[in-house]
């Protein structure tokens, strides 16, 4: 159990970092705020939870990686239960599903917190969709590699 948890944490760090890197690159290229941890910290500010700015930033990053871990746990269950094989096609399927979940989650977060950041929402959701596909492909590759060790 410990070994599997460590593997899943490694996969989470790799996949979430790859996704985040993509979002940061897209943010820079399009000169838009597409950075999930930053948007999470802004959403936290709107909840009126009494935290310092530094604490909100740290919590934004922590929440981002915890959500990544939950996605990886979901993938793990799908693969262990043989619902899908560990393959590029399953990575694509999981990435599309994750992307849709991610977009719907952000729509809910923005509505619940009444947070309307000055961003191009259509562009954000498009890049978010592709960021989740990168997440899924990275998670699948790392999962496959760690299983063969």
């Amino acid at each position: 159990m410990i070994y599997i948890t460590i593997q899943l944490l490694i996969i989470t760090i790799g996949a979430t970092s790859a996704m985040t890197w993509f979002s940061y690159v897209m943010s820079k290229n399009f000169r838009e705020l597409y950075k999930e941890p930053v948007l999470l910290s802004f959403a936290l500010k709107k909840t009126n939870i009494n935290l310092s700015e530094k604490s909100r930033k740290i919590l934004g990053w922590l929440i981002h990686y915890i959500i990544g871990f939950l996605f990886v746990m979901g993938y793990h269950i799908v693969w262990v239960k043989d619902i899908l094989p560990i393959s590029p096609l399953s990575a694509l399927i999981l990435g599309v599903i994750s992307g849709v979940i991610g977009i719907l989650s952000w729509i809910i977060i923005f509505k619940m917190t009444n947070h309307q950041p000055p961003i191009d929402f259509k562009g954000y959701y498009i890049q978010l969709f592709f960021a989740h596909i990168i997440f899924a492909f990275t998670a699948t590759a790392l999962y496959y590699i760690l299983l063969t060790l």
Side-chain angles (χ1 to χ4, degrees):
M1 182 66 172
I2 287 277
Y3 183 68
I4 290 172
T5 303
I6 291 169
Q7 284 181 315
L8 295 180
L9 285 170
I10 292 168
I11 294 163
T12 297
I13 291 166
T16 307
S17 296
M19 170 191 176
T20 306
W21 173 82
F22 175 79
S23 294
Y24 271 65
V25 167
M26 291 296 102
S27 207
K28 184 176 181 180
N29 287 346
F30 290 99
R31 296 189 179 150
E32 290 282 348
L33 178 57
Y34 293 158
K35 303 169 182 177
E36 293 85 8
V38 174
L39 288 168
L40 281 168
S41 72
F42 288 161
L44 284 168
K45 185 176 184 177
K46 290 288 193 170
T47 64
N48 293 322
I49 297 171
N50 192 16
L51 292 171
S52 69
E53 185 177 339
K54 183 178 179 180
S55 295
R56 270 194 313 274
K57 285 180 181 179
I58 291 168
L59 191 55
W61 279 96
L62 188 60
I63 290 169
H64 185 53
Y65 276 87
I66 289 169
I67 292 167
F69 183 75
L70 295 174
F71 274 110
V72 168
M73 286 287 297
Y75 294 5
H76 174 68
I77 292 166
V78 164
W79 292 323
V80 167
K81 301 272 185 192
D82 280 329
I83 296 168
L84 289 173
I86 302 167
S87 70
L89 179 57
S90 75
L92 180 60
I93 291 167
L94 292 169
V96 167
I97 292 167
S98 299
V100 170
I101 290 169
I103 291 166
L104 292 174
S105 297
W106 274 106
I107 290 170
I108 292 167
I109 289 168
F110 290 139
K111 285 202 185 301
M112 283 178 57
T113 61
N114 286 326
H115 181 48
Q116 295 298 313
I119 63 171
D120 168 22
F121 284 95
K122 182 180 176 186
Y124 176 62
Y125 294 138
I126 290 169
Q127 81 78 34
L128 187 65
F129 180 80
F130 287 104
H132 280 89
I133 290 175
I134 288 169
F135 174 91
F137 272 95
T138 305
T140 302
L142 291 173
Y143 193 89
Y144 180 79
I145 291 165
L146 290 174
L147 273 181
T148 59
L149 291 179

